Amino acid sequence: MNIILLGPPGAGKGTQAERLVVERGMVQLSTGDMLRAAVVAQSDIGKRAEAIMDRGDLVSDEVVIEIISDRLDQPDAKAGVILDGFPRTVAQADALDQLLSDKGMSLDAVIQLDVDDEALVGRILKRAAETGGTRADDNEETLRKRLDVYHEQTAPIIPYYRGRGALKSIDGMADMDAVSSEISAILDGGAA
Ligand code: AMP
């Protein structure tokens, strides 16, 4: 089973993905994590992505599509993937369709975590404080920019998937266990 977790920064996609990894043996594919690793390694991609990420903009579609394509070719992806932070533009969503069909893979659910922007700002600043501010983009100014980018460039993929009947929206403001249960119900073919 291959799914997309969709929602703005701080919506809880990473936390929920980690739970699915533990509970279902799925593989979390976070383009944000992959890009941060590239920055640490100072690879060509990392060097190009660093400043873009620090200011809260999106890295080019071409770069992230290539990263995801390579990652989907790894044998462990056969266990089922959770796409976390990808796709983030309609062009990426289109490319994902093509990639999955080329690789003989399916997309089984697109789960949107619906959250309130102001609550998100509080959540992310709390994460920044707890992690000692290890993420350069977890400050209020960049966060507001990331939310703007989400609404302008990523939110248009919601109607894209809704139009196909693939979208399931859940209340991302509920507590983590309630969100996990809703996701499980969707994956097990139940409600929501
Ligand atoms: P995230 O950890 O998912 O919040 O991603 C951190 C940053 O990495 C984003 O603010 C973007 O700069 C970049 N990034 C991650 N995923 C993508 C993507 N699918 N498309 C473009 N940029 C991305």
Coordinates of all heavy atoms in Angstrom, one line a residue, residues 31-32 35-36 53 57-59 64 85-86 88 92 135 137 146, ligand 1:
T31 N 10.8 14.0 1.6 CA 11.8 14.7 0.7 C 12.5 15.8 1.6 O 13.7 16.1 1.3 CB 11.0 15.4 -0.5 OG1 9.8 15.9 0.0 CG2 10.8 14.4 -1.6
G32 N 11.9 16.3 2.6 CA 12.5 17.2 3.5 C 13.7 16.6 4.2 O 14.9 17.1 4.2
L35 N 16.5 16.0 1.6 CA 17.2 17.2 1.2 C 18.1 17.7 2.3 O 19.2 18.1 2.1 CB 16.1 18.3 0.9 CG 15.4 18.1 -0.5 CD1 14.2 19.0 -0.6 CD2 16.4 18.4 -1.7
R36 N 17.6 17.6 3.6 CA 18.5 18.0 4.7 C 19.7 17.1 4.8 O 20.8 17.6 5.0 CB 17.7 17.9 6.1 CG 16.8 19.1 6.3 CD 16.2 19.1 7.7 NE 15.1 18.1 7.7 CZ 13.9 18.3 7.3 NH1 13.5 19.4 6.7 NH2 13.0 17.3 7.4
M53 N 15.9 26.2 1.0 CA 15.2 25.7 2.2 C 15.2 26.7 3.4 O 14.2 26.8 4.1 CB 15.8 24.3 2.6 CG 15.6 23.3 1.6 SD 16.6 21.8 1.9 CE 15.8 21.1 3.3
D57 N 11.4 28.5 0.8 CA 10.8 28.3 -0.6 C 10.9 26.8 -1.0 O 11.5 26.0 -0.3 CB 11.6 29.1 -1.6 CG 11.1 30.6 -1.7 OD1 9.9 30.7 -1.6 OD2 12.0 31.5 -1.9
L58 N 10.3 26.5 -2.1 CA 10.4 25.1 -2.6 C 11.6 24.9 -3.5 O 11.9 25.7 -4.4 CB 9.1 24.8 -3.4 CG 7.8 24.7 -2.6 CD1 6.7 24.2 -3.5 CD2 7.9 23.8 -1.4
V59 N 12.2 23.8 -3.3 CA 13.3 23.3 -4.2 C 12.6 23.0 -5.5 O 11.4 22.7 -5.6 CB 14.0 22.1 -3.5 CG1 15.0 21.4 -4.5 CG2 14.6 22.5 -2.2
V64 N 13.3 17.4 -6.8 CA 12.6 16.5 -5.9 C 12.0 15.3 -6.6 O 12.0 14.2 -6.1 CB 11.6 17.2 -5.0 CG1 12.2 18.1 -4.0 CG2 10.6 17.9 -5.8
G85 N 5.6 15.0 2.5 CA 6.2 16.2 2.0 C 6.4 16.2 0.5 O 7.0 17.1 -0.1
F86 N 5.9 15.2 -0.1 CA 5.9 15.1 -1.6 C 4.6 14.4 -2.0 O 4.2 13.4 -1.4 CB 7.1 14.3 -2.1 CG 7.1 14.1 -3.6 CD1 7.9 15.0 -4.3 CD2 6.4 13.1 -4.2 CE1 7.9 14.9 -5.7 CE2 6.5 13.0 -5.6 CZ 7.2 13.9 -6.4
R88 N 4.3 18.4 -3.6 CA 4.1 19.8 -3.0 C 3.6 20.8 -4.1 O 3.4 21.9 -3.7 CB 5.4 20.3 -2.4 CG 5.3 20.3 -0.8 CD 6.7 20.8 -0.4 NE 6.8 21.2 0.9 CZ 7.3 20.5 1.9 NH1 7.6 19.3 1.8 NH2 7.5 21.1 3.1
Q92 N 4.4 18.2 -9.4 CA 4.9 17.1 -8.7 C 3.9 15.9 -8.7 O 4.2 14.8 -8.8 CB 5.4 17.4 -7.3 CG 6.7 18.3 -7.3 CD 7.1 18.7 -5.9 OE1 6.8 18.0 -4.9 NE2 7.8 19.8 -5.8
R135 N 16.6 22.8 13.2 CA 16.2 23.1 11.8 C 16.3 24.6 11.6 O 15.6 25.4 12.2 CB 14.8 22.6 11.6 CG 14.7 21.1 11.3 CD 13.4 20.6 11.0 NE 12.9 21.3 9.8 CZ 11.8 20.8 9.1 NH1 11.2 19.7 9.4 NH2 11.4 21.5 8.0
D137 N 15.0 26.2 9.4 CA 13.7 26.8 8.9 C 12.6 26.8 9.9 O 11.5 27.1 9.6 CB 13.3 26.1 7.6 CG 13.1 24.6 7.7 OD1 13.3 24.1 8.8 OD2 12.6 24.0 6.7
R146 N 6.7 29.5 4.8 CA 6.4 28.1 4.4 C 4.9 27.9 4.4 O 4.4 27.1 3.5 CB 7.1 27.1 5.4 CG 8.6 27.0 5.1 CD 9.3 26.5 6.4 NE 9.1 25.1 6.7 CZ 9.2 24.6 7.9 NH1 9.6 25.3 8.9 NH2 8.9 23.3 8.1
Ligands
AMP1 P1 9.8 19.6 5.2 O1 10.7 18.9 6.1 O2 8.9 18.6 4.4 O3 9.0 20.7 5.8 O4 10.7 20.2 4.0 C1 11.7 21.2 4.4 C2 12.0 22.0 3.1 O5 12.5 21.2 2.1 C3 10.8 22.7 2.5 O6 10.5 24.0 3.1 C4 11.4 22.9 1.0 O7 12.3 23.9 1.0 C5 12.1 21.6 0.8 N1 11.2 20.5 0.3 C6 10.8 19.4 0.9 N2 10.0 18.6 0.1 C7 9.9 19.4 -1.0 C8 9.2 19.2 -2.2 N3 8.4 18.1 -2.4 N4 9.2 20.1 -3.2 C9 10.0 21.2 -3.1 N5 10.7 21.5 -1.9 C10 10.7 20.6 -0.9

